[in-house]
mmCIF file of all heavy atoms in Angstrom:
data_model
loop_
_atom_site.group_PDB
_atom_site.id
_atom_site.type_symbol
_atom_site.label_atom_id
_atom_site.label_comp_id
_atom_site.label_asym_id
_atom_site.label_seq_id
_atom_site.Cartn_x
_atom_site.Cartn_y
_atom_site.Cartn_z
ATOM 1 N N ALA A 1 4.870 -38.723 30.489
ATOM 2 C CA ALA A 1 6.125 -39.092 30.990
ATOM 3 C C ALA A 1 6.180 -38.848 32.475
ATOM 4 O O ALA A 1 5.810 -37.836 33.025
ATOM 5 C CB ALA A 1 7.240 -38.296 30.262
ATOM 6 N N GLY A 2 6.807 -39.857 33.140
ATOM 7 C CA GLY A 2 6.887 -39.713 34.544
ATOM 8 C C GLY A 2 5.840 -40.218 35.431
ATOM 9 O O GLY A 2 5.892 -40.347 36.679
ATOM 10 N N LEU A 3 4.701 -40.514 34.831
ATOM 11 C CA LEU A 3 3.587 -41.074 35.561
ATOM 12 C C LEU A 3 3.836 -42.538 36.019
ATOM 13 O O LEU A 3 4.439 -43.336 35.243
ATOM 14 C CB LEU A 3 2.235 -41.029 34.744
ATOM 15 C CG LEU A 3 1.660 -39.665 34.381
ATOM 16 C CD1 LEU A 3 0.404 -39.842 33.614
ATOM 17 C CD2 LEU A 3 1.417 -38.778 35.641
ATOM 18 N N PRO A 4 3.365 -42.890 37.162
ATOM 19 C CA PRO A 4 3.681 -44.336 37.649
ATOM 20 C C PRO A 4 2.542 -45.197 36.982
ATOM 21 O O PRO A 4 1.386 -45.332 37.473
ATOM 22 C CB PRO A 4 3.372 -44.232 39.192
ATOM 23 C CG PRO A 4 2.423 -43.056 39.322
ATOM 24 C CD PRO A 4 2.835 -42.110 38.304
ATOM 25 N N LEU A 5 2.898 -45.812 35.890
ATOM 26 C CA LEU A 5 1.943 -46.692 35.147
ATOM 27 C C LEU A 5 2.350 -48.016 35.081
ATOM 28 O O LEU A 5 3.523 -48.435 35.300
ATOM 29 C CB LEU A 5 1.844 -46.095 33.622
ATOM 30 C CG LEU A 5 1.380 -44.634 33.469
ATOM 31 C CD1 LEU A 5 1.563 -44.201 32.015
ATOM 32 C CD2 LEU A 5 0.002 -44.421 33.955
ATOM 33 N N SER A 6 1.419 -48.957 34.857
ATOM 34 C CA SER A 6 1.691 -50.349 34.653
ATOM 35 C C SER A 6 2.420 -50.486 33.345
ATOM 36 O O SER A 6 2.516 -49.633 32.478
ATOM 37 C CB SER A 6 0.322 -51.075 34.653
ATOM 38 O OG SER A 6 -0.362 -50.739 33.455
ATOM 39 N N GLU A 7 2.965 -51.650 33.123
ATOM 40 C CA GLU A 7 3.607 -51.944 31.812
ATOM 41 C C GLU A 7 2.711 -51.759 30.603
ATOM 42 O O GLU A 7 3.091 -51.174 29.613
ATOM 43 C CB GLU A 7 4.165 -53.385 31.855
ATOM 44 C CG GLU A 7 5.049 -53.800 30.607
ATOM 45 C CD GLU A 7 5.585 -55.060 30.664
ATOM 46 O OE1 GLU A 7 5.734 -55.608 31.914
ATOM 47 O OE2 GLU A 7 5.995 -55.704 29.628
ATOM 48 N N ARG A 8 1.452 -52.141 30.816
ATOM 49 C CA ARG A 8 0.516 -51.987 29.707
ATOM 50 C C ARG A 8 0.184 -50.540 29.602
ATOM 51 O O ARG A 8 0.028 -50.000 28.478
ATOM 52 C CB ARG A 8 -0.825 -52.741 30.119
ATOM 53 C CG ARG A 8 -1.936 -52.447 29.112
ATOM 54 C CD ARG A 8 -3.219 -53.264 29.591
ATOM 55 N NE ARG A 8 -4.246 -53.047 28.638
ATOM 56 C CZ ARG A 8 -5.536 -53.545 28.789
ATOM 57 N NH1 ARG A 8 -5.801 -54.295 29.808
ATOM 58 N NH2 ARG A 8 -6.439 -53.326 27.918
ATOM 59 N N GLY A 9 -0.014 -49.783 30.730
ATOM 60 C CA GLY A 9 -0.323 -48.356 30.535
ATOM 61 C C GLY A 9 0.836 -47.588 29.913
ATOM 62 O O GLY A 9 0.532 -46.713 29.019
ATOM 63 N N ARG A 10 2.069 -47.949 30.142
ATOM 64 C CA ARG A 10 3.207 -47.255 29.541
ATOM 65 C C ARG A 10 3.262 -47.616 28.008
ATOM 66 O O ARG A 10 3.565 -46.688 27.167
ATOM 67 C CB ARG A 10 4.492 -47.633 30.181
ATOM 68 C CG ARG A 10 5.773 -46.970 29.627
ATOM 69 C CD ARG A 10 5.556 -45.519 29.512
ATOM 70 N NE ARG A 10 5.259 -44.817 30.754
ATOM 71 C CZ ARG A 10 4.944 -43.561 30.852
ATOM 72 N NH1 ARG A 10 4.674 -42.803 29.736
ATOM 73 N NH2 ARG A 10 4.567 -42.999 32.020
ATOM 74 N N ALA A 11 2.901 -48.796 27.606
ATOM 75 C CA ALA A 11 2.869 -49.186 26.192
ATOM 76 C C ALA A 11 1.791 -48.368 25.513
ATOM 77 O O ALA A 11 1.912 -47.930 24.406
ATOM 78 C CB ALA A 11 2.608 -50.695 26.126
ATOM 79 N N GLU A 12 0.598 -48.200 26.143
ATOM 80 C CA GLU A 12 -0.470 -47.449 25.591
ATOM 81 C C GLU A 12 -0.073 -46.010 25.456
ATOM 82 O O GLU A 12 -0.363 -45.265 24.480
ATOM 83 C CB GLU A 12 -1.697 -47.540 26.431
ATOM 84 C CG GLU A 12 -2.367 -48.885 26.389
ATOM 85 C CD GLU A 12 -3.601 -49.004 27.312
ATOM 86 O OE1 GLU A 12 -3.733 -48.082 28.130
ATOM 87 O OE2 GLU A 12 -4.329 -50.018 27.200
ATOM 88 N N ALA A 13 0.765 -45.570 26.455
ATOM 89 C CA ALA A 13 1.192 -44.129 26.417
ATOM 90 C C ALA A 13 2.163 -43.889 25.229
ATOM 91 O O ALA A 13 2.020 -42.835 24.498
ATOM 92 C CB ALA A 13 1.849 -43.731 27.688
ATOM 93 N N LYS A 14 3.075 -44.861 24.976
ATOM 94 C CA LYS A 14 3.901 -44.701 23.872
ATOM 95 C C LYS A 14 3.205 -44.796 22.479
ATOM 96 O O LYS A 14 3.546 -44.059 21.526
ATOM 97 C CB LYS A 14 5.003 -45.838 23.938
ATOM 98 C CG LYS A 14 5.916 -45.680 25.061
ATOM 99 C CD LYS A 14 7.042 -46.706 25.133
ATOM 100 C CE LYS A 14 8.014 -46.496 26.242
ATOM 101 N NZ LYS A 14 9.089 -47.572 26.326
ATOM 102 N N ALA A 15 2.201 -45.718 22.450
ATOM 103 C CA ALA A 15 1.488 -45.769 21.160
ATOM 104 C C ALA A 15 0.658 -44.488 20.977
ATOM 105 O O ALA A 15 0.626 -43.967 19.791
ATOM 106 C CB ALA A 15 0.444 -46.960 21.305
ATOM 107 N N ALA A 16 0.166 -43.865 22.013
ATOM 108 C CA ALA A 16 -0.559 -42.649 21.881
ATOM 109 C C ALA A 16 0.313 -41.521 21.444
ATOM 110 O O ALA A 16 0.011 -40.681 20.684
ATOM 111 C CB ALA A 16 -1.138 -42.226 23.245
ATOM 112 N N ALA A 17 1.525 -41.505 21.911
ATOM 113 C CA ALA A 17 2.572 -40.528 21.455
ATOM 114 C C ALA A 17 2.792 -40.616 19.961
ATOM 115 O O ALA A 17 2.830 -39.621 19.325
ATOM 116 C CB ALA A 17 3.900 -40.694 22.264
ATOM 117 N N MET A 18 2.928 -41.842 19.530
ATOM 118 C CA MET A 18 3.139 -41.975 18.031
ATOM 119 C C MET A 18 1.942 -41.514 17.292
ATOM 120 O O MET A 18 2.036 -40.855 16.233
ATOM 121 C CB MET A 18 3.502 -43.501 17.693
ATOM 122 C CG MET A 18 3.834 -43.795 16.213
ATOM 123 S SD MET A 18 4.114 -45.456 15.852
ATOM 124 C CE MET A 18 5.447 -45.818 16.918
ATOM 125 N N THR A 19 0.705 -41.849 17.705
ATOM 126 C CA THR A 19 -0.429 -41.427 17.110
ATOM 127 C C THR A 19 -0.534 -39.847 16.966
ATOM 128 O O THR A 19 -0.893 -39.356 15.890
ATOM 129 C CB THR A 19 -1.759 -41.879 17.827
ATOM 130 O OG1 THR A 19 -1.751 -43.303 17.868
ATOM 131 C CG2 THR A 19 -3.036 -41.426 17.204
ATOM 132 N N GLN A 20 -0.173 -39.186 18.069
ATOM 133 C CA GLN A 20 -0.220 -37.743 18.071
ATOM 134 C C GLN A 20 0.896 -37.223 17.152
ATOM 135 O O GLN A 20 0.588 -36.217 16.401
ATOM 136 C CB GLN A 20 -0.040 -37.190 19.462
ATOM 137 C CG GLN A 20 -1.074 -37.519 20.521
ATOM 138 C CD GLN A 20 -2.492 -37.237 20.049
ATOM 139 O OE1 GLN A 20 -2.675 -36.079 19.506
ATOM 140 N NE2 GLN A 20 -3.340 -38.121 20.128
ATOM 141 N N ALA A 21 2.025 -37.770 17.047
ATOM 142 C CA ALA A 21 3.014 -37.331 16.195
ATOM 143 C C ALA A 21 2.716 -37.532 14.723
ATOM 144 O O ALA A 21 2.810 -36.662 13.882
ATOM 145 C CB ALA A 21 4.317 -38.010 16.513
ATOM 146 N N GLU A 22 2.009 -38.626 14.450
ATOM 147 C CA GLU A 22 1.652 -38.966 13.012
ATOM 148 C C GLU A 22 0.530 -37.936 12.679
ATOM 149 O O GLU A 22 0.500 -37.420 11.576
ATOM 150 C CB GLU A 22 1.107 -40.335 12.930
ATOM 151 C CG GLU A 22 2.098 -41.467 13.016
ATOM 152 C CD GLU A 22 2.810 -41.637 11.625
ATOM 153 O OE1 GLU A 22 2.550 -40.841 10.661
ATOM 154 O OE2 GLU A 22 3.777 -42.521 11.566
ATOM 155 N N HIS A 23 -0.404 -37.626 13.584
ATOM 156 C CA HIS A 23 -1.387 -36.660 13.299
ATOM 157 C C HIS A 23 -0.791 -35.243 13.015
ATOM 158 O O HIS A 23 -1.238 -34.596 12.049
ATOM 159 C CB HIS A 23 -2.346 -36.631 14.529
ATOM 160 C CG HIS A 23 -3.427 -35.599 14.390
ATOM 161 N ND1 HIS A 23 -4.431 -35.634 13.464
ATOM 162 C CD2 HIS A 23 -3.640 -34.406 15.167
ATOM 163 C CE1 HIS A 23 -5.225 -34.620 13.583
ATOM 164 N NE2 HIS A 23 -4.823 -33.826 14.577
ATOM 165 N N LEU A 24 0.158 -34.917 13.807
ATOM 166 C CA LEU A 24 0.828 -33.584 13.530
ATOM 167 C C LEU A 24 1.479 -33.492 12.195
ATOM 168 O O LEU A 24 1.474 -32.549 11.449
ATOM 169 C CB LEU A 24 1.853 -33.265 14.632
ATOM 170 C CG LEU A 24 1.235 -32.882 15.960
ATOM 171 C CD1 LEU A 24 2.294 -32.896 17.089
ATOM 172 C CD2 LEU A 24 0.564 -31.507 16.037
ATOM 173 N N ALA A 25 2.185 -34.624 11.807
ATOM 174 C CA ALA A 25 2.764 -34.708 10.460
ATOM 175 C C ALA A 25 1.805 -34.611 9.451
ATOM 176 O O ALA A 25 1.956 -33.856 8.374
ATOM 177 C CB ALA A 25 3.609 -36.021 10.354
ATOM 178 N N ASN A 26 0.659 -35.213 9.537
ATOM 179 C CA ASN A 26 -0.445 -35.032 8.562
ATOM 180 C C ASN A 26 -0.944 -33.681 8.393
ATOM 181 O O ASN A 26 -1.246 -33.134 7.357
ATOM 182 C CB ASN A 26 -1.680 -36.073 8.904
ATOM 183 C CG ASN A 26 -1.307 -37.467 8.826
ATOM 184 O OD1 ASN A 26 -0.380 -37.814 8.023
ATOM 185 N ND2 ASN A 26 -2.048 -38.298 9.450
ATOM 186 N N LEU A 27 -1.084 -32.985 9.612
ATOM 187 C CA LEU A 27 -1.512 -31.524 9.593
ATOM 188 C C LEU A 27 -0.492 -30.669 8.890
ATOM 189 O O LEU A 27 -0.791 -29.734 8.142
ATOM 190 C CB LEU A 27 -1.812 -31.118 11.008
ATOM 191 C CG LEU A 27 -2.958 -31.692 11.719
ATOM 192 C CD1 LEU A 27 -3.044 -31.153 13.094
ATOM 193 C CD2 LEU A 27 -4.265 -31.298 11.006
ATOM 194 N N MET A 28 0.751 -30.978 9.102
ATOM 195 C CA MET A 28 1.814 -30.201 8.456
ATOM 196 C C MET A 28 1.747 -30.310 6.918
ATOM 197 O O MET A 28 1.904 -29.328 6.227
ATOM 198 C CB MET A 28 3.171 -30.630 8.910
ATOM 199 C CG MET A 28 3.498 -30.313 10.447
ATOM 200 S SD MET A 28 5.017 -31.206 10.920
ATOM 201 C CE MET A 28 5.200 -30.502 12.590
ATOM 202 N N GLU A 29 1.335 -31.496 6.514
ATOM 203 C CA GLU A 29 1.287 -31.802 5.037
ATOM 204 C C GLU A 29 0.083 -31.142 4.470
ATOM 205 O O GLU A 29 0.082 -30.596 3.322
ATOM 206 C CB GLU A 29 1.263 -33.310 4.778
ATOM 207 C CG GLU A 29 2.687 -33.957 5.054
ATOM 208 C CD GLU A 29 2.569 -35.489 5.013
ATOM 209 O OE1 GLU A 29 1.471 -36.032 5.073
ATOM 210 O OE2 GLU A 29 3.677 -36.057 4.982
ATOM 211 N N GLN A 30 -1.072 -31.226 5.178
ATOM 212 C CA GLN A 30 -2.317 -30.793 4.676
ATOM 213 C C GLN A 30 -2.552 -29.316 4.740
ATOM 214 O O GLN A 30 -3.296 -28.715 3.936
ATOM 215 C CB GLN A 30 -3.397 -31.519 5.399
ATOM 216 C CG GLN A 30 -3.554 -32.999 5.224
ATOM 217 C CD GLN A 30 -4.362 -33.718 6.226
ATOM 218 O OE1 GLN A 30 -5.048 -33.129 6.966
ATOM 219 N NE2 GLN A 30 -4.357 -35.019 6.179
ATOM 220 N N ALA A 31 -1.923 -28.672 5.764
ATOM 221 C CA ALA A 31 -2.026 -27.262 6.025
ATOM 222 C C ALA A 31 -3.512 -26.759 6.074
ATOM 223 O O ALA A 31 -3.833 -25.961 5.202
ATOM 224 C CB ALA A 31 -1.177 -26.514 4.931
ATOM 225 N N PRO A 32 -4.276 -27.248 6.929
ATOM 226 C CA PRO A 32 -5.765 -26.859 6.973
ATOM 227 C C PRO A 32 -5.850 -25.384 7.239
ATOM 228 O O PRO A 32 -4.846 -24.750 7.867
ATOM 229 C CB PRO A 32 -6.258 -27.734 8.104
ATOM 230 C CG PRO A 32 -5.091 -28.078 8.962
ATOM 231 C CD PRO A 32 -3.953 -28.208 8.023
ATOM 232 N N LEU A 33 -6.903 -24.835 6.866
ATOM 233 C CA LEU A 33 -7.215 -23.378 6.981
ATOM 234 C C LEU A 33 -7.163 -23.011 8.378
ATOM 235 O O LEU A 33 -7.883 -23.632 9.208
ATOM 236 C CB LEU A 33 -8.490 -22.994 6.267
ATOM 237 C CG LEU A 33 -8.881 -21.529 6.263
ATOM 238 C CD1 LEU A 33 -7.880 -20.789 5.304
ATOM 239 C CD2 LEU A 33 -10.269 -21.314 5.790
ATOM 240 N N GLY A 34 -6.494 -21.948 8.783
ATOM 241 C CA GLY A 34 -6.398 -21.482 10.192
ATOM 242 C C GLY A 34 -5.470 -22.128 10.989
ATOM 243 O O GLY A 34 -5.418 -21.817 12.284
ATOM 244 N N VAL A 35 -4.697 -23.085 10.543
ATOM 245 C CA VAL A 35 -3.618 -23.825 11.366
ATOM 246 C C VAL A 35 -2.314 -23.722 10.643
ATOM 247 O O VAL A 35 -2.098 -23.997 9.505
ATOM 248 C CB VAL A 35 -4.052 -25.346 11.446
ATOM 249 C CG1 VAL A 35 -2.939 -26.069 12.196
ATOM 250 C CG2 VAL A 35 -5.360 -25.403 12.105
ATOM 251 N N GLN A 36 -1.308 -23.249 11.456
ATOM 252 C CA GLN A 36 0.058 -23.280 10.975
ATOM 253 C C GLN A 36 0.909 -23.875 12.094
ATOM 254 O O GLN A 36 0.738 -23.656 13.258
ATOM 255 C CB GLN A 36 0.535 -21.768 10.952
ATOM 256 C CG GLN A 36 -0.275 -20.882 9.880
ATOM 257 C CD GLN A 36 0.265 -19.444 9.836
ATOM 258 O OE1 GLN A 36 1.208 -19.236 8.960
ATOM 259 N NE2 GLN A 36 -0.267 -18.592 10.625
ATOM 260 N N ILE A 37 1.846 -24.845 11.580
ATOM 261 C CA ILE A 37 2.709 -25.591 12.483
ATOM 262 C C ILE A 37 4.093 -25.346 12.018
ATOM 263 O O ILE A 37 4.415 -25.618 10.818
ATOM 264 C CB ILE A 37 2.309 -27.002 12.470
ATOM 265 C CG1 ILE A 37 0.772 -27.150 12.808
ATOM 266 C CG2 ILE A 37 3.181 -27.862 13.567
ATOM 267 C CD1 ILE A 37 0.356 -28.636 12.790
ATOM 268 N N GLY A 38 4.954 -25.017 12.974
ATOM 269 C CA GLY A 38 6.404 -25.065 12.710
ATOM 270 C C GLY A 38 7.132 -25.966 13.559
ATOM 271 O O GLY A 38 6.700 -26.301 14.724
ATOM 272 N N LEU A 39 8.281 -26.465 13.094
ATOM 273 C CA LEU A 39 9.151 -27.426 13.876
ATOM 274 C C LEU A 39 10.380 -26.730 14.198
ATOM 275 O O LEU A 39 11.145 -26.464 13.298
ATOM 276 C CB LEU A 39 9.322 -28.766 13.103
ATOM 277 C CG LEU A 39 10.015 -29.832 13.792
ATOM 278 C CD1 LEU A 39 9.250 -30.267 15.100
ATOM 279 C CD2 LEU A 39 10.257 -31.000 12.897
ATOM 280 N N LEU A 40 10.724 -26.613 15.479
ATOM 281 C CA LEU A 40 11.869 -25.919 15.960
ATOM 282 C C LEU A 40 13.065 -26.879 16.241
ATOM 283 O O LEU A 40 12.859 -27.823 16.937
ATOM 284 C CB LEU A 40 11.612 -25.098 17.144
ATOM 285 C CG LEU A 40 10.676 -23.892 17.106
ATOM 286 C CD1 LEU A 40 10.327 -23.362 18.390
ATOM 287 C CD2 LEU A 40 11.345 -22.778 16.223
ATOM 288 N N GLN A 41 14.166 -26.600 15.708
ATOM 289 C CA GLN A 41 15.411 -27.438 16.125
ATOM 290 C C GLN A 41 16.035 -26.635 17.343
ATOM 291 O O GLN A 41 15.522 -25.738 17.884
ATOM 292 C CB GLN A 41 16.286 -27.543 14.901
ATOM 293 C CG GLN A 41 15.718 -28.428 13.835
ATOM 294 C CD GLN A 41 16.570 -28.657 12.664
ATOM 295 O OE1 GLN A 41 16.788 -27.677 11.836
ATOM 296 N NE2 GLN A 41 17.228 -29.792 12.501
ATOM 297 N N GLU A 42 17.345 -26.906 17.511
ATOM 298 C CA GLU A 42 18.016 -26.219 18.614
ATOM 299 C C GLU A 42 18.220 -24.721 18.213
ATOM 300 O O GLU A 42 18.395 -24.421 17.067
ATOM 301 C CB GLU A 42 19.359 -26.859 18.851
ATOM 302 C CG GLU A 42 19.298 -28.337 19.278
ATOM 303 C CD GLU A 42 20.613 -28.912 19.581
ATOM 304 O OE1 GLU A 42 21.606 -28.192 19.532
ATOM 305 O OE2 GLU A 42 20.623 -30.199 20.001
ATOM 306 N N PRO A 43 18.142 -23.784 19.182
ATOM 307 C CA PRO A 43 17.949 -24.028 20.599
ATOM 308 C C PRO A 43 16.490 -24.320 20.943
ATOM 309 O O PRO A 43 15.596 -23.676 20.284
ATOM 310 C CB PRO A 43 18.519 -22.827 21.247
ATOM 311 C CG PRO A 43 18.238 -21.688 20.280
ATOM 312 C CD PRO A 43 18.474 -22.378 18.898
ATOM 313 N N GLU A 44 16.195 -25.142 21.914
ATOM 314 C CA GLU A 44 14.877 -25.453 22.334
ATOM 315 C C GLU A 44 14.334 -24.375 23.213
ATOM 316 O O GLU A 44 15.090 -23.869 24.029
ATOM 317 C CB GLU A 44 14.842 -26.856 23.007
ATOM 318 C CG GLU A 44 13.457 -27.183 23.484
ATOM 319 C CD GLU A 44 13.580 -28.440 24.349
ATOM 320 O OE1 GLU A 44 14.569 -28.773 24.933
ATOM 321 O OE2 GLU A 44 12.437 -29.154 24.472
ATOM 322 N N PRO A 45 13.064 -23.972 23.054
ATOM 323 C CA PRO A 45 12.482 -23.011 23.999
ATOM 324 C C PRO A 45 12.531 -23.465 25.401
ATOM 325 O O PRO A 45 12.385 -24.726 25.688
ATOM 326 C CB PRO A 45 11.057 -22.890 23.606
ATOM 327 C CG PRO A 45 11.043 -23.244 22.067
ATOM 328 C CD PRO A 45 12.140 -24.332 21.973
ATOM 329 N N SER A 46 12.980 -22.578 26.374
ATOM 330 C CA SER A 46 13.215 -22.969 27.682
ATOM 331 C C SER A 46 11.953 -23.346 28.422
ATOM 332 O O SER A 46 11.933 -24.024 29.488
ATOM 333 C CB SER A 46 14.093 -22.000 28.517
ATOM 334 O OG SER A 46 13.287 -20.752 28.451
ATOM 335 N N TYR A 47 10.767 -22.759 28.012
ATOM 336 C CA TYR A 47 9.500 -23.053 28.564
ATOM 337 C C TYR A 47 8.414 -22.893 27.586
ATOM 338 O O TYR A 47 8.624 -22.263 26.456
ATOM 339 C CB TYR A 47 9.265 -22.275 29.832
ATOM 340 C CG TYR A 47 8.849 -20.885 29.599
ATOM 341 C CD1 TYR A 47 7.605 -20.340 30.100
ATOM 342 C CD2 TYR A 47 9.634 -20.037 28.908
ATOM 343 C CE1 TYR A 47 7.199 -19.064 29.863
ATOM 344 C CE2 TYR A 47 9.278 -18.632 28.683
ATOM 345 C CZ TYR A 47 8.004 -18.202 29.201
ATOM 346 O OH TYR A 47 7.697 -16.908 28.946
ATOM 347 N N GLN A 48 7.230 -23.294 27.712
ATOM 348 C CA GLN A 48 6.131 -23.147 26.812
ATOM 349 C C GLN A 48 5.411 -21.840 27.038
ATOM 350 O O GLN A 48 5.095 -21.615 28.261
ATOM 351 C CB GLN A 48 5.190 -24.318 26.947
ATOM 352 C CG GLN A 48 4.044 -24.305 25.883
ATOM 353 C CD GLN A 48 3.113 -25.468 26.080
ATOM 354 O OE1 GLN A 48 1.962 -25.222 26.495
ATOM 355 N NE2 GLN A 48 3.445 -26.683 25.753
#
């Protein structure tokens, strides 16, 4: 987000975001060994 991209580049960036989100959802469902994922609602952490 915020990068100066072409229209095509921004479309690819949005498609990539959806791919990553779908992948995370799959990991949440599969719960592979050694991986734990939680989803936080408000309040949002102020920094990573």
Side-chain angles (χ1 to χ4, degrees):
L3 293 182
L5 299 173
S6 64
E7 185 176 340
R8 177 181 177 182
R10 182 50 58 194
E12 291 177 349
K14 291 182 179 180
M18 185 182 298
T19 298
Q20 297 307 313
E22 288 282 2
H23 176 65
L24 287 169
N26 290 335
L27 289 176
M28 291 171 177
E29 292 171 342
Q30 297 165 7
L33 186 66
V35 175
Q36 299 183 90
I37 305 175
L39 186 60
L40 293 171
Q41 295 181 286
E42 297 182 3
E44 181 185 26
S46 58
Y47 78 121
Q48 186 184 105

